[in-house]
Amino acid sequence: MNGGPAMHIYRVNEIFYSLQGEGRNTGRAAVFVRFSGCNLRCAFCDTNFESFQEMTAPDIVAAVREKSNICKNPLPLIVLTGGEPTLQADDALVELLHQAGYLVAMESNGTLPPPKGIDWLTISPKSLGKGGTRYQCDELKIVFDEKTPQQLTELELPSDDDKSPLLYLQPCDTGDNIRNKHITAACVDYIKQHPQWRLSLQTHKLIGVE
């Protein structure tokens, strides 16, 4: 019987190789590690959390290597996503991915602190205003719908003069094409009036890839 310490187990929904479809890294090849489970319940969420595989950090790195074998040089970006990855991803996993030669990005709702060493942190808060963006990030991405313009008047950005995040607004995919069209038009109009924001589109959906 092995008397060593138990290895941490992560619940992983899926690991796949694709293109980043949103935000600053749009169009960039990446391996996505999608963790199962979230501490929020957003109406527009399209992720299935019912199924997952239990994996150790070495298991995850091995699966990432297998998915990225098609890419010779440079190695692709790794995106830790979910669900909410900060519920599971930790310093040890990030360090192991770095040791394997990968850059590590994370997409979080900003409710919990991220692990150390993340190379690119995207926070997409689901409640705007005080407390919605208390963690410093590289990219702040707001899902935009009819209520967003009023909510943005109450938004408090992280206070760090040395590292201001890129600001993105992303039209909400409601599943209703007519409503989506109106939301997108309103989002474009808002950005034209507030040019500190940039438009983020879910290009993976537009081109039909995962």
Side-chain angles (χ1 to χ4, degrees):
M1 180 176 179
N2 190 343
M7 189 165 290
H8 185 73
I9 299 297
Y10 308 85
R11 293 183 173 186
V12 178
N13 183 273
E14 60 179 336
I15 298 176
F16 61 97
Y17 186 35
S18 187
L19 301 183
Q20 173 59 278
E22 307 171 1
R24 176 62 178 83
N25 287 310
T26 294
R28 186 171 179 179
V31 176
F32 293 80
V33 179
R34 186 182 302 283
F35 292 93
S36 180
C38 187
N39 56 347
L40 300 178
R41 291 294 180 266
C42 300
F44 53 79
C45 182
D46 57 2
T47 302
N48 172 22
F49 299 125
E50 297 302 318
S51 62
F52 59 84
Q53 179 180 358
E54 293 187 338
M55 305 179 73
T56 65
D59 290 338
I60 292 174
V61 172
V64 165
R65 279 204 185 100
E66 181 181 355
K67 295 295 182 182
S68 62
N69 274 345
I70 192 172
C71 180
K72 303 303 181 184
N73 188 33
L75 292 172
L77 184 70
I78 307 304
V79 180
L80 307 180
T81 185
E84 176 47 45
T86 58
L87 291 171
Q88 298 192 64
D90 54 13
D91 299 355
L93 175 60
V94 174
E95 176 60 25
L96 200 61
L97 288 167
H98 280 155
Q99 290 176 9
Y102 295 101
L103 291 175
V104 183
M106 174 177 278
E107 299 177 347
S108 171
N109 61 29
T111 57
L112 297 169
K116 296 177 182 178
I118 297 295
D119 298 297
W120 186 266
L121 177 61
T122 300
I123 287 183
S124 181
K126 303 307 182 286
S127 60
L128 304 184
K130 186 171 294 185
T133 58
R134 64 182 178 272
Y135 298 112
Q136 184 63 45
C137 59
D138 301 287
E139 171 181 283
L140 182 67
K141 184 177 65 182
I142 306 297
V143 178
F144 188 99
D145 64 13
E146 296 90 347
K147 299 178 181 179
T148 305
Q150 176 58 38
Q151 293 171 338
L152 286 174
T153 65
E154 305 171 2
L155 179 66
E156 294 184 4
L157 298 176
S159 55
D160 186 341
D161 294 336
D162 295 328
K163 190 178 181 184
S164 297
L166 298 176
L167 304 177
Y168 284 91
L169 296 178
Q170 182 167 291
C172 182
D173 181 3
T174 67
D176 181 327
N177 289 336
I178 295 176
R179 185 182 172 197
N180 286 357
K181 184 175 180 179
H182 289 307
I183 288 174
T184 300
C187 185
V188 169
D189 185 60
Y190 186 91
I191 293 170
K192 289 167 70 175
Q193 297 179 50
H194 303 83
Q196 69 270 36
W197 293 92
R198 307 180 186 191
L199 180 66
S200 172
L201 297 176
Q202 293 181 293
T203 58
H204 54 294
K205 292 184 178 181
L206 295 175
I207 63 176
V209 301
E210 185 176 15

